[in-house]
Amino acid sequence: MRDDLMDALSSLAAAPAVAATKTTSTAQGTAGSPAGSATTATASAGAKDTLSLSPLAASLKGPSLDLFNKLKQNERALLGDLVDSGKITGDDVNNALMSSLKQARRSSFATGSMMFETQNSNLFARADSVTADEILQATDNTLARRKELVSRLGELEKNGQGGSDDYSAVLRALSGMEPGADPRGSGRVNGPPRSTRIVSPYTMNLGDQRFQQSGAEEAASNKLKEAGVSLSALSDAARGMAEDDVAGIVKEQASQMADAMQRNGG
């Protein structure tokens, strides 16, 4: 079943999810034919085999398929077996994968916002005088640091160090709690009121569907959990994709902020 699933997924990535058919010919020896010879069978005499995509492969699409391919082999096999058994459907897997990706995006956005503020507390302290170039540079620095940390997490996981102290330290850093970083709000308690001017590109649109789970996606996640699927494994696999997605969103918002500042002489 696993080999069939992977073959089907390769086909799905390159072509629409439709069934394909092929005709095979079976060599038929006759009394008057030399030993080992074969005759060409016509289409009507040939045996027809239908190669249809599995229910799971046919249901996965776009980001869900990309995330599925990032799962470990045993995790992909488990999902395939559950779909084949009828305990869950291919659509359940597709929706649950999307749910995990959206959750990972929200987590990346929230922790990225914290990191941006702790690494750039000076910008918030003098928000009224921050320039467009400073916003763009601060954004690039934060995103570069996050990319470095996510890469480090991947190395540790690959080496079987997922529960190590180093791994925990990287997770804390991703949450904006690196050693030496200015804690959120530090140095401003007794200072002048904080400016209302927005200087962080991490401003989430609550209606953005890239972050918001649908009812079907939430229900699918619960269904997979009840079937014995580790949702944390899905979230871990989604981390890298989510970071890339959020980086694109944040860069776009930083560019828009910079443009607005430049129009206003900033």
Side-chain angles (χ1 to χ4, degrees), residues 188-256:
R188 293 194 296 269
V189 176
N190 298 319
R194 180 170 172 173
S195 171
T196 58
R197 187 186 188 198
I198 297 175
V199 295
S200 173
Y202 283 88
T203 304
M204 182 183 291
N205 178 357
L206 297 180
D208 193 329
Q209 294 304 306
R210 291 171 293 186
F211 297 99
Q212 301 306 315
Q213 297 164 277
S214 68
E217 290 166 350
E218 292 184 12
S221 292
N222 292 331
K223 192 172 181 180
L224 262 63
K225 183 177 181 180
E226 293 172 358
V229 176
S230 170
L231 297 185
S232 63
L234 303 187
S235 297
D236 288 345
R239 183 184 291 116
M241 288 180 61
E243 286 289 335
D244 288 343
D245 292 343
V246 169
I249 294 170
V250 170
K251 283 183 178 180
E252 181 180 359
Q253 294 186 167
S255 179
Q256 292 171 350

Side-chain angles (χ1 to χ4, degrees), residues 108 111-112 115 119 139-155 170 173-174 178 202 239-248 251:
S108 172
T111 56
M115 178 181 284
Q119 287 192 342
T139 300
D140 287 345
N141 291 343
T142 299
L143 294 178
R145 179 56 178 156
R146 292 191 69 80
K147 186 173 183 178
E148 175 187 345
L149 290 170
V150 170
S151 177
R152 178 59 179 157
L153 275 186
E155 292 175 1
V170 175
L174 274 171
E178 289 193 86
Y202 283 88
R239 183 184 291 116
M241 288 180 61
E243 286 289 335
D244 288 343
D245 292 343
V246 169
K251 283 183 178 180

Side-chain angles (χ1 to χ4, degrees), residues 153-177:
L153 275 186
E155 292 175 1
L156 291 171
E157 290 170 348
K158 184 178 180 180
N159 295 330
Q161 297 177 275
S164 66
D165 290 341
D166 285 347
Y167 191 85
S168 297
V170 175
L171 285 178
R172 286 195 298 273
L174 274 171
S175 297
M177 295 184 288

Side-chain angles (χ1 to χ4, degrees), residues 125-144:
R126 57 181 186 81
D128 291 333
S129 62
V130 171
T131 67
D133 287 343
E134 287 177 312
I135 290 293
L136 293 175
Q137 187 61 60
T139 300
D140 287 345
N141 291 343
T142 299
L143 294 178

Side-chain angles (χ1 to χ4, degrees), residues 17-125:
V18 296
T21 61
K22 71 175 181 178
T23 302
T24 60
S25 300
T26 304
Q28 300 291 335
T30 63
S33 300
S37 67
T39 60
T40 302
T42 62
S44 59
K48 292 184 177 181
D49 297 326
T50 300
L51 304 177
S52 59
L53 294 175
S54 73
L56 175 54
S59 298
L60 298 178
K61 55 185 76 74
S64 292
L65 177 57
D66 294 337
L67 177 51
F68 180 86
N69 287 329
K70 291 183 179 296
L71 297 176
K72 296 177 181 178
Q73 183 177 358
N74 64 308
E75 295 163 351
R76 296 195 302 268
L78 173 60
L79 291 172
D81 289 341
L82 288 172
V83 172
D84 287 347
S85 71
K87 293 181 179 180
I88 59 177
T89 67
D91 285 339
D92 289 332
V93 176
N94 183 75
N95 287 332
L97 289 171
M98 279 305 306
S99 177
S100 293
L101 180 56
K102 289 180 178 181
Q103 287 182 330
R105 286 172 182 160
R106 288 202 303 274
S107 175
S108 172
F109 203 95
T111 56
S113 177
M114 178 73 77
M115 178 181 284
F116 183 89
E117 185 161 349
T118 56
Q119 287 192 342
N120 303 285
S121 58
N122 62 314
L123 298 186
F124 293 87

